[in-house]
Amino acid sequence: MACVSDESWVALPKMLSERLALRQEDRHDDEQPSFFGSESTAYRLEKVFPVYALGIPKPDSDPVNPASVSGDPIWDAVREEAKLEAEKEPILSSFLYASILAHDCLEQALGFVLANRLQNPTLLATQLMDIFYDVMMHDRDIQRSVRLDVQAFKDRDPACLSYCSALLYLKGYHSLQVHRVAHSLWSQGRKVLALALQSRISEVFGVDIHPAAKIGEGILLDHGTGVVIGETAVVGNRVSLMHGVTLGGTGKEIGDRHPKVGDGALIGASATILGNIKIGQGAMIAAGSLVLKNVPPRSMVAGIPAKVIGYVDEKDPSLTMKHDASKEFFEHVAVQCRDTRSAGGHSSERAHRST
């Protein structure tokens, strides 16, 4: 049984009007009419959010059954948060209802949100909804990843207030999920469509991920702005990437030419990692670093070019998101730097005397 039954595949205006009618019948006569019970709500939805009134095409084949509502805690949390937000901010009620509460599962709501973010005059929201829904509802790996990703945002990003806010507003999450769809299309041989989605991700979100790139689950793209991930790049599970990160090549070489990032790695803001090199499991790349060589597991690298400056205690620094080191660590690094410079100065002095 799919999350959307055959009977529910109707145009959104009809679906909204039916649900509004049920709410109106449930309301007692002595109660004040709520926003959802207003007769003008459907009209307002069509006027304020016109694309929401467009129909959703029915898929050609039966989709894979995702977790049911009662067995999907992420979707349950999203719906409850949306209801609370609608009560707090009535001006957003129609938006929250059309984006979340009118849908029956996370995949449908996510596809709806993404389609409305990426639409343009020649790539219609209805077409995008059809693409997203068809791919997500037939791919169990994507169904799992979209939930682990939103959990990663909720757990690791202090600016992420709720699951609902990640689903609705965070472009790092949005760009990551569109990439998952584009990667699936690329793997099916639908490369032109995958590249079209890549182009829209770059234009709308400022994130450029080649559809052939392989990205694990439980990923955090914090902010997302300026992230570039090349064609043959591989990103493991539970990785956190800050804004401005580049996983790129070193020139015009072809073939396998992009970095491979191990599980649990934490890559700081504006870090540039170039070439077919390995970033070890649990490694931490300091912000602004230029990495051109392999990075050992659980090591901390920094600088231009980056060098190993220490090791991290955590198995997965991506989960703790601790970008800084202790005062003692930096004092140790400073002493080593001073001793190195002193040794270099003494060597120069001895060389000068010998001449």
Side-chain angles (χ1 to χ4, degrees):
M1 178 180 177
C3 77
V4 183
S5 64
D6 292 341
E7 290 78 7
S8 66
W9 281 102
V10 295
L12 276 176
K14 182 179 178 182
M15 175 170 36
L16 293 175
S17 62
E18 289 175 351
R19 297 192 182 192
L20 290 171
L22 290 175
R23 283 185 169 82
Q24 187 68 19
E25 292 174 2
D26 293 339
R27 181 173 58 84
H28 298 295
D29 293 337
D30 56 347
E31 293 178 351
Q32 294 295 324
S34 65
F35 183 90
F36 288 138
S38 171
E39 294 179 357
S40 63
T41 301
Y43 172 77
R44 272 187 267 179
L45 283 174
E46 293 187 19
K47 296 294 289 183
V48 179
F49 305 105
V51 73
Y52 296 156
L54 300 175
I56 305 174
K58 181 178 178 179
D60 294 333
S61 58
D62 292 334
V64 175
N65 179 27
S68 63
V69 174
S70 61
D72 187 352
I74 297 291
W75 177 234
D76 290 344
V78 168
R79 288 181 58 84
E80 289 304 314
E81 291 165 355
K83 291 176 184 177
L84 292 175
E85 291 302 318
E87 293 176 2
K88 289 190 221 176
E89 293 289 352
I91 196 172
L92 294 178
S93 295
S94 58
F95 166 70
L96 291 167
Y97 186 83
S99 300
I100 294 176
L101 299 176
H103 303 288
D104 297 291
C105 61
L106 182 61
E107 289 76 13
Q108 186 180 355
L110 177 59
F112 183 82
V113 170
L114 296 178
N116 283 279
R117 294 295 304 271
L118 296 180
Q119 65 165 324
N120 66 15
T122 56
L123 196 57
L124 303 181
T126 48
Q127 295 173 321
L128 290 170
M129 280 189 279
D130 187 25
I131 294 167
F132 294 145
Y133 188 79
D134 183 62
V135 171
M136 288 190 289
M137 292 304 296
H138 291 83
D139 193 321
R140 290 190 182 277
D141 290 336
I142 291 182
Q143 292 174 12
R144 172 183 168 88
S145 295
V146 297
R147 289 165 172 80
L148 291 176
D149 291 342
V150 77
Q151 186 68 56
F153 276 79
K154 179 67 167 57
D155 291 344
R156 301 180 219 165
D157 183 0
C160 181
L161 302 178
S162 62
Y163 298 105
C164 180
S165 64
L167 175 65
L168 291 174
Y169 310 122
L170 298 188
K171 64 180 182 179
Y173 180 73
H174 293 162
S175 58
L176 186 58
Q177 306 321 314
V178 180
H179 164 74
R180 296 195 185 283
V181 173
H183 180 73
S184 177
L185 294 171
W186 182 274
S187 301
Q188 296 171 26
R190 304 174 70 183
K191 295 186 177 181
V192 174
L193 180 55
L195 291 171
L197 291 180
Q198 177 197 5
S199 177
R200 288 302 293 155
I201 298 170
S202 180
E203 292 173 5
V204 176
F205 302 131
V207 176
D208 195 352
I209 308 176
H210 194 283
K214 299 177 182 179
I215 298 181
E217 56 192 20
I219 305 297
L220 170 65
L221 290 187
D222 197 3
H223 297 288
T225 303
V227 169
V228 177
I229 301 178
E231 178 181 8
T232 60
V234 177
V235 178
N237 300 323
R238 305 182 306 283
V239 173
S240 294
L241 300 94
M242 309 304 289
H243 58 277
V245 168
T246 297
L247 304 180
T250 57
K252 294 183 178 180
E253 74 274 18
I254 60 175
D256 196 353
R257 60 194 185 278
H258 294 101
K260 312 297 182 284
V261 181
D263 295 348
L266 172 60
I267 304 180
S270 298
T272 300
I273 306 172
L274 301 178
N276 184 16
I277 60 177
K278 293 182 180 180
I279 308 301
Q281 181 175 349
M284 188 174 88
I285 313 298
S289 298
L290 173 60
V291 184
L292 301 174
K293 297 181 180 180
N294 292 339
V295 175
R298 295 197 231 317
S299 63
M300 180 190 303
V301 302
I304 303 176
K307 297 180 180 179
V308 176
I309 60 173
Y311 292 87
V312 295
D313 295 329
E314 298 91 351
K315 178 182 178 182
D316 292 334
S318 62
L319 304 184
T320 59
M321 297 293 288
K322 292 181 179 179
H323 296 266
D324 58 338
S326 64
K327 178 180 178 181
E328 292 77 11
F329 172 78
F330 282 113
E331 288 178 347
H332 176 68
V333 172
V335 169
Q336 282 188 325
C337 182
R338 181 194 62 193
D339 293 345
T340 301
R341 289 181 178 178
S342 298
H346 293 156
S347 299
S348 299
E349 184 179 351
R350 286 194 296 271
H352 177 73
R353 288 178 181 176
S354 63
T355 57

